[in-house]
Amino acid sequence: MSFYKEHFLLIGCAIILWTNVYASGTLAATKSEQIYNFAQYVKWSKQTKTITFCVAGNKTVFNQLNSKIKSVKMIKSRPLIVKTVARQSQLPICSILYVDKGSALMPAAKKLQEVLTVSNQNSFAKNVGIIEFIAKNQFCINHIRAKKQGVSLQGKLLRLAKKCQ
């Protein structure tokens, strides 16, 4: 391989790698922003003194959400906390649970009460949880499951959602 072809190939690989890393970070930032926004449209019970965001299976979403929470600090006079979760025993502390595609905690999300569950897993809203990311800035809500699981969502959020398939 010639010197120029070798360097061209190396530069091309570096650009592709950087593009994938950048896109991954941008997508995580979008998800974390939306998860934060979802919290503003939940009718939290009086027993909810602190809103705890839990993230399972995606360190980048956790980092982005943690940065957001540090700058905002409160929603509806409630302090905000972000935690990573890896075991089912950690889930009772969650007010909002983001479960990344393929996480081992996916089945446990279906059993939670009074926890807003969110994921990028295909058919999540249909089969497991409440909110599913279906595209970069689009999501769908299973409002029937939300009611069954004791999560009360404001109409404004429901109007922004796409219909789940």
Side-chain angles (χ1 to χ4, degrees):
M1 196 181 297
S2 77
F3 174 80
Y4 293 110
K5 284 183 182 178
E6 199 172 291
H7 280 81
F8 181 73
L9 183 61
L10 185 61
I11 290 169
C13 288
I15 290 171
I16 290 169
L17 179 62
W18 180 84
T19 303
N20 287 339
V21 169
Y22 176 77
S24 173
T26 302
L27 187 57
T30 301
K31 284 179 188 173
S32 62
E33 186 70 32
Q34 287 179 312
I35 293 165
Y36 166 77
N37 288 334
F38 295 154
Q40 296 181 71
Y41 296 103
V42 173
K43 297 175 188 169
W44 299 106
S45 72
K46 291 181 180 170
Q47 290 83 8
T48 305
K49 303 295 181 204
T50 300
I51 299 171
T52 304
F53 295 83
C54 296
V55 178
N58 192 316
K59 187 87 169 156
T60 309
V61 170
F62 168 79
N63 289 336
Q64 293 284 339
L65 189 55
N66 198 33
S67 293
K68 174 72 176 178
I69 298 312
K70 283 181 182 177
S71 68
V72 179
K73 296 186 175 53
M74 297 188 111
I75 292 177
K76 299 179 183 174
S77 303
R78 291 175 174 89
L80 308 174
I81 298 172
V82 183
K83 296 191 175 280
T84 58
V85 291
R87 294 183 311 278
Q88 191 169 341
S89 62
Q90 296 173 298
L91 299 180
I93 65 165
C94 304
S95 308
I96 297 178
L97 172 63
Y98 173 75
V99 188
D100 202 57
K101 187 186 305 186
S103 169
L105 293 177
M106 194 66 65
K110 189 172 188 173
K111 300 172 190 167
L112 296 173
Q113 289 294 311
E114 298 182 11
V115 176
L116 178 63
T117 53
V118 183
S119 184
N120 60 341
Q121 177 72 42
N122 291 341
S123 300
F124 178 78
K126 180 180 177 184
N127 299 317
V128 179
I130 299 170
I131 298 179
E132 175 185 336
F133 290 120
I134 54 176
K136 185 175 179 183
N137 288 312
Q138 296 179 346
F139 58 93
C140 70
I141 297 176
N142 184 330
H143 68 280
I144 295 168
R145 180 165 285 116
K147 286 180 183 178
K148 284 181 182 176
Q149 292 182 338
V151 176
S152 181
L153 302 172
Q154 294 178 11
K156 187 173 183 179
L157 182 61
L158 295 171
R159 287 189 296 277
L160 291 171
K162 300 284 184 190
K163 184 173 180 164
C164 293
Q165 301 296 324

